[in-house]
Amino acid sequence: MIDVLVVDDDPRVARINAAYTDRVPGFRTAGTAHTTGQALSWLDGHHADLVLLDHYLPDENGLGLVRRLRAGDSRTDVIMVTAARDVATVEAAMRYGALHYLVKPFSYSGLRAKLEGYAVLRRTLADGPEAGQEQVDRIFGVLGSAAAGPMALPKGHSAQTVRLVRQALKEAGQLSATGVADRTGLSRQTAQRYLKLLERSGQVGLTLRYTGSGRPEHVYTWTGTGEDA
């Protein structure tokens, strides 16, 4: 499980964000805080893989907390979740090391996409101590860095089919290979092949759905990153 600390000055909003987080497979809310001081105190005695961080806090803004975490060599990651939308704040968040930035108000699907993308990033980073160019591209693709152009397709893959599979996921939010096949008219094997391609590029997040019997089902979620092929 990925442990998340939710930081928001409004307790009601913090509860909503925590509830959203707990709905995403593989994530759980480990704690909540409403000020920078509370967040630092909580982190001093607990572990969090990720902080969902509001910028407008009563004692010190969210960027101040990000700076403190980085100055202390903390390995806790940060996704900004805030109504602050001025370019200066967004740029500063990026430079201080926030992995992503989600502007309020947002839907559950918007937060889920960011969390699923973060899960993909963690899996990609866990692949090994060294990274080839393909893995580096996947890492930066998950982070939402601008791509130079359309995704390069391996031999035997169709850009039209990529768009078809991508559109099905965008519309549904989350699908299995069978679900994609049903929506697109592709065979399950073809749908699975293209889903794996999109997952490797960081455009699709992969989670396991346990149904209580047999093997877990692979479920793919659109992360909202990447360019059209």
Side-chain angles (χ1 to χ4, degrees):
M1 297 292 289
I2 296 175
D3 290 320
V4 180
L5 172 64
V6 175
V7 183
D8 197 289
D9 69 315
D10 186 331
R12 182 185 64 86
V13 174
R15 288 193 297 271
I16 293 172
N17 291 350
Y20 278 175
T21 298
D22 291 337
R23 288 174 58 187
V24 180
F27 289 81
R28 64 185 174 195
T29 301
T32 59
H34 309 301
T35 68
T36 295
Q38 288 179 7
L40 288 171
S41 177
W42 190 94
L43 289 168
D44 189 48
H46 304 81
H47 168 76
D49 300 296
L50 176 67
V51 177
L52 295 182
L53 179 60
D54 188 17
H55 179 59
Y56 297 120
L57 301 174
D59 51 347
E60 184 178 9
N61 64 40
L63 294 181
L65 177 56
V66 178
R67 287 196 300 268
R68 287 173 178 267
L69 292 176
R70 295 298 167 256
D73 296 324
S74 172
R75 296 182 64 85
T76 300
D77 296 313
V78 175
I79 293 178
M80 299 296 294
V81 180
T82 177
R85 59 183 66 211
D86 58 286
V87 174
T89 301
V90 175
E91 179 184 10
M94 177 184 67
R95 294 188 183 280
Y96 294 158
L99 292 182
H100 229 308
Y101 199 105
L102 184 61
V103 177
K104 297 178 181 177
F106 56 86
S107 64
Y108 164 67
S109 60
L111 178 60
R112 183 184 65 188
K114 297 295 185 292
L115 294 181
E116 293 286 2
Y118 175 71
V120 173
L121 173 63
R122 286 173 60 90
R123 288 197 298 270
T124 303
L125 292 174
D127 282 349
E130 294 185 353
Q133 186 61 55
E134 180 181 356
Q135 187 180 6
V136 170
D137 290 343
R138 287 174 60 194
I139 292 169
F140 279 89
V142 169
L143 291 177
S145 296
M151 179 178 66
L153 297 178
K155 185 177 180 180
H157 287 72
S158 160
Q160 181 177 357
T161 304
V162 169
R163 286 192 291 270
L164 187 64
V165 172
R166 183 190 287 122
Q167 187 61 37
L169 277 174
K170 281 184 177 180
E171 292 175 354
Q174 189 177 72
L175 288 171
S176 65
T178 300
V180 171
D182 290 342
R183 283 175 171 260
T184 60
L186 300 170
S187 69
R188 185 188 181 283
Q189 291 77 11
T190 298
Q192 184 75 53
R193 185 157 56 96
Y194 279 85
L195 286 167
K196 287 183 177 179
L197 172 67
L198 291 171
E199 193 270 333
R200 288 196 301 270
S201 73
Q203 297 182 38
V204 167
L206 171 62
T207 56
L208 298 179
R209 177 188 293 159
Y210 293 90
T211 59
S213 61
R215 297 173 59 186
E217 182 181 37
H218 288 71
V219 179
Y220 297 87
T221 302
W222 176 250
T223 65
T225 64
E227 301 289 335
D228 286 341

